[in-house]
Amino acid sequence: MNPTYPPLDTLKPVAENLWIGGVQHPDGQTLSDLRRSFAGPQLRAAVERMLAWQPERIIFAHGRWLERNGTAALRRAFRWVLGEGAAQRDAPVV
């Protein structure tokens, strides 16, 4: 056992909270309290600016490293900002 990591059974409550919060792969999203705190025209402008960069690779904080389709992944992750709703939820994650 690696002494730098806790036993897996102690991580179960953390995993359950991540699942309840809706922040886990494959459809990880921004926590609802952060959505309420940061939603607005400035955030939308920032998301649109990131999309304009058309990134191919992207690393989400506390998430996956995507080697391709970064723009699509950003659009999917920030669909709540862009008002793109459920249609993007079902978009494939690569």
Side-chain angles (χ1 to χ4, degrees), residues 24-61:
Q24 277 188 311
H25 175 74
D27 191 30
Q29 298 181 45
T30 306
L31 290 168
S32 61
D33 61 332
L34 290 176
R35 289 185 195 199
R36 289 188 300 274
S37 297
F38 294 104
Q42 290 177 321
L43 177 60
R44 184 179 179 96
V47 170
E48 289 172 347
R49 187 176 323 128
M50 288 188 294
L51 291 171
W53 297 335
Q54 298 181 338
E56 182 65 18
R57 296 182 199 132
I58 191 164
I59 301 173
F60 287 104

Side-chain angles (χ1 to χ4, degrees):
M1 182 165 105
N2 186 336
T4 60
Y5 294 104
L8 289 177
D9 61 335
T10 63
L11 298 176
K12 187 174 181 180
V14 173
E16 289 172 350
N17 284 330
L18 293 173
W19 179 78
I20 290 168
V23 298
Q24 277 188 311
H25 175 74
D27 191 30
Q29 298 181 45
T30 306
L31 290 168
S32 61
D33 61 332
L34 290 176
R35 289 185 195 199
R36 289 188 300 274
S37 297
F38 294 104
Q42 290 177 321
L43 177 60
R44 184 179 179 96
V47 170
E48 289 172 347
R49 187 176 323 128
M50 288 188 294
L51 291 171
W53 297 335
Q54 298 181 338
E56 182 65 18
R57 296 182 199 132
I58 191 164
I59 301 173
F60 287 104
H62 307 285
R64 297 182 60 197
W65 172 24
L66 302 174
E67 295 187 50
R68 58 192 162 135
N69 300 325
T71 303
L74 271 177
R75 181 173 298 284
R76 185 175 186 276
F78 288 103
R79 66 187 181 266
W80 63 275
V81 175
L82 302 168
E84 296 179 357
Q88 284 292 319
R89 181 186 64 227
D90 299 324
V93 176
V94 180

